[in-house]
Amino acid sequence: SSSIATIEALYEDESFGERNLAALLASKVFYHLGELQESLTYALCAGSLFDVTEQSDYVQTIVGKCIDEYMKQREKGEISGEEIQIDSRLEAIVQRMFKRCLEDGQLEQAIGIALDSCHLDLLRTVAEHGQFDKKLLTYALRVCQNLIVSRKFREKALRLMVDLFKQLDQPDWIVISQCLMFLDEAAAVAEILTNLLGQDSDSILLAYQIAFDLFENEQPQFLSKVSDHVEKMLKKAEQPAETAADGEKPAASQEGAEP
């Protein structure tokens, strides 16, 4: 630790050919001194020499701090609605860690990184990498509902989850309807129910199941809006049939009048 000033000086010396190595060494020294912020700063300066795949307490701790710092900055931007300038080196480490999770098949951890860092495009990447596995999507949805603090970002995440669940070989309309209820999208739920009611008997039963599940959530105002939308949609669907039937009546009378 007594040589830390010398190591820092080597990094600051632009003529020194191993500046990245000096930064990595400084990062490790600061880590062992308990100075985690300084350790992270120099780990960022070390570039690719900071190996996120290394299984050590040092790397795992600094990567964790890196993700936390990145998450705070991303979340700040989500809440304020302002564009936050984030250190590209910080983002590079998060991206490398995310890529490592995908390569190692640690998809739940990848979901955690995506949501912690408020990166919905990364969440979509995990879903595509996992070939839209229903269990994986269900895990992601549970994280969205229970662990995301920012209401604004949670709503964005739930809208993405609706889109992802629709891409299953057999879309889970029950889960989709639950997400839409959290988003207060009564018209969208009504459209699902109306479409199911116009299909086979299994689809009609599914529509009733969705209705019962919504009822159990005890949100009468939302249910009332869904009911109104369903009624309007059913009436609108009946109008073309009534118009067609009315158009056939004169023809029938003319046929009856012929000798």
Side-chain angles (χ1 to χ4, degrees), residues 194 197-198 229-247:
T194 305
L197 290 171
H229 282 296
V230 169
E231 186 176 357
K232 290 177 183 178
M233 290 176 183
L234 290 176
K235 284 182 178 180
K236 187 176 180 179
E238 290 172 358
Q239 285 177 356
E242 291 175 355
T243 303
D246 291 341

Side-chain angles (χ1 to χ4, degrees), residues 60-73:
Q60 291 181 12
T61 300
I62 299 306
V63 165
K65 186 166 182 59
C66 175
I67 293 174
D68 286 344
E69 185 66 27
Y70 184 72
M71 176 188 68
K72 288 177 184 177
Q73 294 186 32

Side-chain angles (χ1 to χ4, degrees), residues 33-168:
L33 291 174
E35 300 287 344
L36 297 185
Q37 188 59 48
E38 289 293 330
S39 180
L40 172 59
T41 298
Y42 278 103
L44 295 177
C45 296
S48 60
L49 289 185
F50 181 72
D51 184 6
V52 298
T53 65
E54 181 184 312
Q55 297 295 323
S56 67
D57 290 340
Y58 158 68
V59 168
Q60 291 181 12
T61 300
I62 299 306
V63 165
K65 186 166 182 59
C66 175
I67 293 174
D68 286 344
E69 185 66 27
Y70 184 72
M71 176 188 68
K72 288 177 184 177
Q73 294 186 32
R74 290 277 302 182
E75 189 174 37
K76 181 180 179 181
E78 283 291 331
I79 294 173
S80 66
E82 300 176 356
E83 185 175 351
I84 303 296
Q85 292 296 326
I86 300 176
D87 191 327
S88 60
R89 299 169 302 174
L90 199 66
E91 184 160 10
I93 289 180
V94 172
Q95 291 285 356
R96 279 155 55 194
M97 189 62 190
F98 179 77
K99 183 179 179 181
R100 172 197 164 188
C101 289
L102 292 185
E103 292 173 348
D104 293 348
Q106 298 175 333
L107 300 187
E108 290 188 359
Q109 187 172 347
I111 287 173
I113 292 174
L115 292 176
D116 284 347
S117 59
C118 300
H119 246 316
L120 292 182
D121 53 340
L122 295 186
L123 180 58
R124 184 180 288 277
T125 298
V126 179
E128 292 172 352
H129 188 86
Q131 300 179 334
F132 297 97
D133 178 71
K134 187 175 179 180
K135 289 183 179 179
L136 187 66
L137 293 183
T138 301
Y139 172 80
L141 177 59
R142 189 163 61 248
V143 175
C144 290
Q145 292 174 327
N146 299 327
L147 300 181
I148 296 178
V149 177
S150 168
R151 179 177 179 180
K152 184 178 178 181
F153 178 66
R154 182 168 61 248
E155 289 179 352
K156 289 182 179 180
L158 287 175
R159 285 193 171 86
L160 175 59
M161 294 308 304
V162 167
D163 182 51
L164 295 178
F165 270 99
K166 284 181 178 178
Q167 294 186 50
L168 294 174

Side-chain angles (χ1 to χ4, degrees), residues 172-200:
D172 192 328
W173 296 115
I174 292 178
V175 171
I176 291 170
S177 297
Q178 291 289 332
C179 289
L180 292 171
M181 182 193 69
F182 285 117
L183 293 168
D184 197 29
E185 298 283 353
V189 173
E191 185 177 358
I192 291 172
L193 293 174
T194 305
N195 289 337
L196 290 173
L197 290 171
Q199 298 178 32
D200 57 23

